[in-house]
């Protein structure tokens, strides 16, 4: 079995796994009711699914003899920006009070930005 065929089968398997992860993320986005739980489906499962789809593209390019680093750059950008955007979305949901009340923060100013009307003096 040549390496081209092996890369093609690996790309097909990666494509199927990625499509399954993206499908699960889309179903989770539609089925979950709470905004905080809805956020997890596309950010967690979708990131892995798109990563697998990009891996499939890398493997197919290797099988065709035309490797490229563009997919690796897209993956790096995706894996860096998805958690940050999920964090910002969660902050907005908390500040809008669109979810269950978060647990009480500790009595210091390092927990979060959710300090409504509180002013602390440092001395």
């Amino acid at each position: 079995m040549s390496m081209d065929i092996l890369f093609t089968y690996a790309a097909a398997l990666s494509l199927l796994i990625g499509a399954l992860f993206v499908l699960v993320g889309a179903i989770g986005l539609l089925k979950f009711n709470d905004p905080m739980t809805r956020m997890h489906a596309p950010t967690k499962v979708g990131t892995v699914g798109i990563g697998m789809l990009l891996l499939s593209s890398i493997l197919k390019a290797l099988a065709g003899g035309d490797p490229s680093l563009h997919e690796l750059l897209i993956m790096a950008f995706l894996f860096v920006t998805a958690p940050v955007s999920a964090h910002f979305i969660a902050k907005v949901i908390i500040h809008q009070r669109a979810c269950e009340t978060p647990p009480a923060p500790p009595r210091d100013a390092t927990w979060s930005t959710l300090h409504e009307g509180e002013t602390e003096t440092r001395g």
Side-chain angles (χ1 to χ4, degrees):
M1 181 180 276
S2 72
M3 291 300 285
D4 293 343
I5 294 173
L6 185 66
F7 281 142
T8 303
Y9 283 133
L13 181 65
S14 178
L15 189 65
L16 288 174
I17 292 170
L20 181 69
F21 271 98
V22 170
L23 178 68
V24 168
I27 290 171
L29 181 64
L30 296 173
K31 287 292 186 179
F32 290 138
N33 295 326
D34 184 51
M36 290 293 252
T37 56
R38 289 183 77 193
M39 175 186 62
H40 285 285
T43 56
K44 306 297 185 270
V45 177
T47 303
V48 173
I50 292 174
M52 291 298 287
L53 294 176
L54 289 169
L55 179 65
S56 174
S57 177
I58 291 170
L59 292 172
K60 184 61 180 161
L62 284 174
D66 187 25
S68 173
L69 293 178
H70 294 110
E71 290 89 354
L72 290 176
L73 294 173
I74 295 169
M75 263 196 242
F77 181 75
L78 178 71
F79 290 151
V80 168
T81 57
V84 173
S85 62
H87 177 75
F88 284 135
I89 292 169
K91 288 291 216 180
V92 168
I93 291 170
I94 289 172
H95 282 285
Q96 288 180 342
R97 306 263 189 227
C99 64
E100 294 180 20
T101 305
R107 293 261 184 224
D108 61 6
T110 61
W111 180 75
S112 177
T113 60
L114 189 60
H115 297 286
E116 295 176 355
E118 291 182 19
T119 57
E120 292 188 21
T121 58
R122 297 187 188 257

PDB file of all heavy atoms in Angstrom, residues 18-39:
ATOM      1  N   GLY A  18     -14.561  14.768  11.564  1.00  0.00           N
ATOM      2  CA  GLY A  18     -14.801  16.206  11.654  1.00  0.00           C
ATOM      3  C   GLY A  18     -16.243  16.564  11.376  1.00  0.00           C
ATOM      4  O   GLY A  18     -16.829  17.406  12.061  1.00  0.00           O
ATOM      5  N   ALA A  19     -16.828  15.935  10.364  1.00  0.00           N
ATOM      6  CA  ALA A  19     -18.235  16.196  10.046  1.00  0.00           C
ATOM      7  C   ALA A  19     -19.143  15.761  11.189  1.00  0.00           C
ATOM      8  O   ALA A  19     -20.127  16.443  11.512  1.00  0.00           O
ATOM      9  CB  ALA A  19     -18.620  15.481   8.758  1.00  0.00           C
ATOM     10  N   LEU A  20     -18.814  14.658  11.833  1.00  0.00           N
ATOM     11  CA  LEU A  20     -19.600  14.196  12.979  1.00  0.00           C
ATOM     12  C   LEU A  20     -19.525  15.192  14.131  1.00  0.00           C
ATOM     13  O   LEU A  20     -20.542  15.525  14.754  1.00  0.00           O
ATOM     14  CB  LEU A  20     -19.118  12.809  13.420  1.00  0.00           C
ATOM     15  CG  LEU A  20     -19.870  12.198  14.596  1.00  0.00           C
ATOM     16  CD1 LEU A  20     -21.285  11.840  14.178  1.00  0.00           C
ATOM     17  CD2 LEU A  20     -19.140  10.973  15.102  1.00  0.00           C
ATOM     18  N   PHE A  21     -18.322  15.695  14.415  1.00  0.00           N
ATOM     19  CA  PHE A  21     -18.171  16.675  15.492  1.00  0.00           C
ATOM     20  C   PHE A  21     -18.931  17.964  15.182  1.00  0.00           C
ATOM     21  O   PHE A  21     -19.590  18.535  16.059  1.00  0.00           O
ATOM     22  CB  PHE A  21     -16.695  16.988  15.740  1.00  0.00           C
ATOM     23  CG  PHE A  21     -16.037  16.088  16.723  1.00  0.00           C
ATOM     24  CD1 PHE A  21     -15.287  15.011  16.313  1.00  0.00           C
ATOM     25  CD2 PHE A  21     -16.156  16.322  18.084  1.00  0.00           C
ATOM     26  CE1 PHE A  21     -14.673  14.172  17.203  1.00  0.00           C
ATOM     27  CE2 PHE A  21     -15.552  15.495  19.001  1.00  0.00           C
ATOM     28  CZ  PHE A  21     -14.803  14.413  18.564  1.00  0.00           C
ATOM     29  N   VAL A  22     -18.862  18.432  13.947  1.00  0.00           N
ATOM     30  CA  VAL A  22     -19.584  19.647  13.566  1.00  0.00           C
ATOM     31  C   VAL A  22     -21.090  19.420  13.674  1.00  0.00           C
ATOM     32  O   VAL A  22     -21.829  20.296  14.144  1.00  0.00           O
ATOM     33  CB  VAL A  22     -19.173  20.108  12.155  1.00  0.00           C
ATOM     34  CG1 VAL A  22     -20.083  21.218  11.650  1.00  0.00           C
ATOM     35  CG2 VAL A  22     -17.735  20.578  12.160  1.00  0.00           C
ATOM     36  N   LEU A  23     -21.567  18.251  13.278  1.00  0.00           N
ATOM     37  CA  LEU A  23     -22.983  17.926  13.391  1.00  0.00           C
ATOM     38  C   LEU A  23     -23.432  17.918  14.853  1.00  0.00           C
ATOM     39  O   LEU A  23     -24.485  18.475  15.190  1.00  0.00           O
ATOM     40  CB  LEU A  23     -23.274  16.574  12.729  1.00  0.00           C
ATOM     41  CG  LEU A  23     -24.716  16.091  12.805  1.00  0.00           C
ATOM     42  CD1 LEU A  23     -25.610  16.995  11.960  1.00  0.00           C
ATOM     43  CD2 LEU A  23     -24.811  14.646  12.348  1.00  0.00           C
ATOM     44  N   VAL A  24     -22.639  17.313  15.717  1.00  0.00           N
ATOM     45  CA  VAL A  24     -22.971  17.287  17.146  1.00  0.00           C
ATOM     46  C   VAL A  24     -22.989  18.709  17.709  1.00  0.00           C
ATOM     47  O   VAL A  24     -23.862  19.065  18.510  1.00  0.00           O
ATOM     48  CB  VAL A  24     -21.981  16.387  17.922  1.00  0.00           C
ATOM     49  CG1 VAL A  24     -22.115  16.575  19.419  1.00  0.00           C
ATOM     50  CG2 VAL A  24     -22.201  14.929  17.552  1.00  0.00           C
ATOM     51  N   GLY A  25     -22.046  19.547  17.288  1.00  0.00           N
ATOM     52  CA  GLY A  25     -22.031  20.939  17.739  1.00  0.00           C
ATOM     53  C   GLY A  25     -23.260  21.703  17.283  1.00  0.00           C
ATOM     54  O   GLY A  25     -23.837  22.492  18.035  1.00  0.00           O
ATOM     55  N   ALA A  26     -23.688  21.485  16.055  1.00  0.00           N
ATOM     56  CA  ALA A  26     -24.882  22.164  15.539  1.00  0.00           C
ATOM     57  C   ALA A  26     -26.141  21.691  16.258  1.00  0.00           C
ATOM     58  O   ALA A  26     -27.008  22.499  16.601  1.00  0.00           O
ATOM     59  CB  ALA A  26     -25.005  21.926  14.037  1.00  0.00           C
ATOM     60  N   ILE A  27     -26.235  20.395  16.501  1.00  0.00           N
ATOM     61  CA  ILE A  27     -27.389  19.867  17.234  1.00  0.00           C
ATOM     62  C   ILE A  27     -27.400  20.414  18.665  1.00  0.00           C
ATOM     63  O   ILE A  27     -28.447  20.807  19.191  1.00  0.00           O
ATOM     64  CB  ILE A  27     -27.390  18.324  17.221  1.00  0.00           C
ATOM     65  CG1 ILE A  27     -27.693  17.823  15.811  1.00  0.00           C
ATOM     66  CG2 ILE A  27     -28.409  17.765  18.209  1.00  0.00           C
ATOM     67  CD1 ILE A  27     -27.510  16.337  15.634  1.00  0.00           C
ATOM     68  N   GLY A  28     -26.230  20.472  19.287  1.00  0.00           N
ATOM     69  CA  GLY A  28     -26.155  21.027  20.635  1.00  0.00           C
ATOM     70  C   GLY A  28     -26.548  22.486  20.680  1.00  0.00           C
ATOM     71  O   GLY A  28     -27.213  22.938  21.614  1.00  0.00           O
ATOM     72  N   LEU A  29     -26.168  23.241  19.664  1.00  0.00           N
ATOM     73  CA  LEU A  29     -26.547  24.654  19.606  1.00  0.00           C
ATOM     74  C   LEU A  29     -28.062  24.807  19.495  1.00  0.00           C
ATOM     75  O   LEU A  29     -28.644  25.713  20.090  1.00  0.00           O
ATOM     76  CB  LEU A  29     -25.858  25.316  18.415  1.00  0.00           C
ATOM     77  CG  LEU A  29     -26.123  26.801  18.212  1.00  0.00           C
ATOM     78  CD1 LEU A  29     -25.583  27.602  19.383  1.00  0.00           C
ATOM     79  CD2 LEU A  29     -25.491  27.263  16.926  1.00  0.00           C
ATOM     80  N   LEU A  30     -28.705  23.911  18.765  1.00  0.00           N
ATOM     81  CA  LEU A  30     -30.154  23.993  18.601  1.00  0.00           C
ATOM     82  C   LEU A  30     -30.923  23.433  19.785  1.00  0.00           C
ATOM     83  O   LEU A  30     -32.008  23.917  20.109  1.00  0.00           O
ATOM     84  CB  LEU A  30     -30.573  23.255  17.320  1.00  0.00           C
ATOM     85  CG  LEU A  30     -30.053  23.839  16.016  1.00  0.00           C
ATOM     86  CD1 LEU A  30     -30.401  22.914  14.856  1.00  0.00           C
ATOM     87  CD2 LEU A  30     -30.609  25.224  15.796  1.00  0.00           C
ATOM     88  N   LYS A  31     -30.405  22.417  20.459  1.00  0.00           N
ATOM     89  CA  LYS A  31     -31.152  21.719  21.495  1.00  0.00           C
ATOM     90  C   LYS A  31     -31.030  22.335  22.891  1.00  0.00           C
ATOM     91  O   LYS A  31     -31.968  22.279  23.662  1.00  0.00           O
ATOM     92  CB  LYS A  31     -30.705  20.247  21.571  1.00  0.00           C
ATOM     93  CG  LYS A  31     -31.197  19.425  20.423  1.00  0.00           C
ATOM     94  CD  LYS A  31     -32.684  19.273  20.506  1.00  0.00           C
ATOM     95  CE  LYS A  31     -33.185  18.325  19.449  1.00  0.00           C
ATOM     96  NZ  LYS A  31     -34.615  18.149  19.516  1.00  0.00           N
ATOM     97  N   PHE A  32     -29.863  22.885  23.233  1.00  0.00           N
ATOM     98  CA  PHE A  32     -29.693  23.413  24.584  1.00  0.00           C
ATOM     99  C   PHE A  32     -30.519  24.675  24.764  1.00  0.00           C
ATOM    100  O   PHE A  32     -30.662  25.479  23.844  1.00  0.00           O
ATOM    101  CB  PHE A  32     -28.228  23.702  24.884  1.00  0.00           C
ATOM    102  CG  PHE A  32     -27.384  22.469  25.013  1.00  0.00           C
ATOM    103  CD1 PHE A  32     -26.122  22.418  24.452  1.00  0.00           C
ATOM    104  CD2 PHE A  32     -27.834  21.366  25.700  1.00  0.00           C
ATOM    105  CE1 PHE A  32     -25.336  21.299  24.569  1.00  0.00           C
ATOM    106  CE2 PHE A  32     -27.061  20.234  25.825  1.00  0.00           C
ATOM    107  CZ  PHE A  32     -25.802  20.196  25.262  1.00  0.00           C
ATOM    108  N   ASN A  33     -31.045  24.872  25.972  1.00  0.00           N
ATOM    109  CA  ASN A  33     -31.920  26.004  26.236  1.00  0.00           C
ATOM    110  C   ASN A  33     -31.195  27.183  26.857  1.00  0.00           C
ATOM    111  O   ASN A  33     -31.450  28.321  26.508  1.00  0.00           O
ATOM    112  CB  ASN A  33     -33.067  25.577  27.156  1.00  0.00           C
ATOM    113  CG  ASN A  33     -33.974  24.566  26.488  1.00  0.00           C
ATOM    114  OD1 ASN A  33     -34.177  24.620  25.288  1.00  0.00           O
ATOM    115  ND2 ASN A  33     -34.504  23.644  27.255  1.00  0.00           N
ATOM    116  N   ASP A  34     -30.319  26.928  27.804  1.00  0.00           N
ATOM    117  CA  ASP A  34     -29.620  27.983  28.519  1.00  0.00           C
ATOM    118  C   ASP A  34     -28.509  28.557  27.652  1.00  0.00           C
ATOM    119  O   ASP A  34     -27.792  27.815  26.981  1.00  0.00           O
ATOM    120  CB  ASP A  34     -29.037  27.389  29.815  1.00  0.00           C
ATOM    121  CG  ASP A  34     -28.369  28.416  30.671  1.00  0.00           C
ATOM    122  OD1 ASP A  34     -28.982  29.455  30.957  1.00  0.00           O
ATOM    123  OD2 ASP A  34     -27.212  28.185  31.059  1.00  0.00           O
ATOM    124  N   PRO A  35     -28.328  29.883  27.632  1.00  0.00           N
ATOM    125  CA  PRO A  35     -27.276  30.464  26.789  1.00  0.00           C
ATOM    126  C   PRO A  35     -25.867  29.972  27.131  1.00  0.00           C
ATOM    127  O   PRO A  35     -25.032  29.831  26.245  1.00  0.00           O
ATOM    128  CB  PRO A  35     -27.389  31.968  27.039  1.00  0.00           C
ATOM    129  CG  PRO A  35     -28.742  32.184  27.581  1.00  0.00           C
ATOM    130  CD  PRO A  35     -29.140  30.921  28.258  1.00  0.00           C
ATOM    131  N   MET A  36     -25.604  29.716  28.401  1.00  0.00           N
ATOM    132  CA  MET A  36     -24.263  29.252  28.779  1.00  0.00           C
ATOM    133  C   MET A  36     -23.999  27.844  28.263  1.00  0.00           C
ATOM    134  O   MET A  36     -22.882  27.542  27.835  1.00  0.00           O
ATOM    135  CB  MET A  36     -24.086  29.297  30.296  1.00  0.00           C
ATOM    136  CG  MET A  36     -24.014  30.698  30.835  1.00  0.00           C
ATOM    137  SD  MET A  36     -22.546  31.543  30.303  1.00  0.00           S
ATOM    138  CE  MET A  36     -21.637  31.560  31.809  1.00  0.00           C
ATOM    139  N   THR A  37     -24.987  26.983  28.286  1.00  0.00           N
ATOM    140  CA  THR A  37     -24.770  25.631  27.754  1.00  0.00           C
ATOM    141  C   THR A  37     -24.774  25.633  26.232  1.00  0.00           C
ATOM    142  O   THR A  37     -24.081  24.839  25.612  1.00  0.00           O
ATOM    143  CB  THR A  37     -25.840  24.648  28.278  1.00  0.00           C
ATOM    144  OG1 THR A  37     -27.136  25.154  27.960  1.00  0.00           O
ATOM    145  CG2 THR A  37     -25.715  24.449  29.764  1.00  0.00           C
ATOM    146  N   ARG A  38     -25.556  26.535  25.630  1.00  0.00           N
ATOM    147  CA  ARG A  38     -25.563  26.634  24.165  1.00  0.00           C
ATOM    148  C   ARG A  38     -24.213  27.094  23.636  1.00  0.00           C
ATOM    149  O   ARG A  38     -23.832  26.765  22.521  1.00  0.00           O
ATOM    150  CB  ARG A  38     -26.641  27.611  23.703  1.00  0.00           C
ATOM    151  CG  ARG A  38     -28.036  27.085  23.883  1.00  0.00           C
ATOM    152  CD  ARG A  38     -29.039  28.037  23.354  1.00  0.00           C
ATOM    153  NE  ARG A  38     -29.031  27.914  21.898  1.00  0.00           N
ATOM    154  CZ  ARG A  38     -29.611  28.777  21.111  1.00  0.00           C
ATOM    155  NH1 ARG A  38     -30.218  29.820  21.602  1.00  0.00           N
ATOM    156  NH2 ARG A  38     -29.587  28.610  19.813  1.00  0.00           N
ATOM    157  N   MET A  39     -23.515  27.874  24.427  1.00  0.00           N
ATOM    158  CA  MET A  39     -22.224  28.397  24.003  1.00  0.00           C
ATOM    159  C   MET A  39     -21.178  27.278  23.870  1.00  0.00           C
ATOM    160  O   MET A  39     -20.299  27.330  23.028  1.00  0.00           O
ATOM    161  CB  MET A  39     -21.746  29.437  25.021  1.00  0.00           C
ATOM    162  CG  MET A  39     -20.373  29.965  24.748  1.00  0.00           C
ATOM    163  SD  MET A  39     -19.818  31.040  26.051  1.00  0.00           S
ATOM    164  CE  MET A  39     -19.794  29.947  27.435  1.00  0.00           C
TER     165      MET A  39
END
